[in-house]
Amino acid sequence: MKKVGQVITTILLILLIACVLVLAPVGAKTLINQMNGNSFAETKIVQKTNNGYIDLYVDTDTNVVYVRAVNGTLTPMVNADGSPKLWDK
């Protein structure tokens, strides 16, 4: 009888781990999508490209181009002389 209880406990534990492994990436992707959508809600920065690795954003007031990497870091692009790179329409 004790052996049956251990088998049932093991099966339930395996099912729990499988559920976590399946649902965790889905939750993380949803969270990232929400963060991307809300990050610039109060600014005039809009996304211009979306290739999944490095995306370009432009401030519509100043036309300054920004690069956003996968980790979410937003960095202004600069010309060789150090001045901000501007978006050409």
Side-chain angles (χ1 to χ4, degrees):
M1 190 69 167
K2 199 175 206 180
K3 186 110 173 149
V4 172
Q6 288 177 340
V7 170
I8 291 174
T9 302
T10 303
I11 291 172
L12 290 175
L13 184 60
I14 290 170
L15 287 174
L16 177 65
I17 291 171
C19 287
V20 168
L21 291 175
V22 169
L23 295 177
V26 173
K29 185 166 180 94
T30 302
L31 180 63
I32 289 170
N33 287 339
Q34 287 177 346
M35 288 173 54
N36 285 340
N38 296 331
S39 295
F40 303 115
E42 297 179 8
T43 67
K44 298 210 172 155
I45 296 177
V46 295
Q47 187 172 2
K48 292 294 185 175
T49 64
N50 183 7
N51 70 9
Y53 295 102
I54 296 176
D55 301 321
L56 296 180
Y57 289 78
V58 175
D59 184 327
T60 57
D61 284 341
T62 63
N63 284 334
V64 173
V65 180
Y66 295 88
V67 176
R68 187 172 189 185
V70 175
N71 66 3
T73 304
L74 190 67
T75 306
M77 292 181 71
V78 294
N79 295 314
D81 64 358
S83 63
K85 186 173 284 293
L86 300 179
W87 183 260
D88 276 334
K89 295 180 181 177

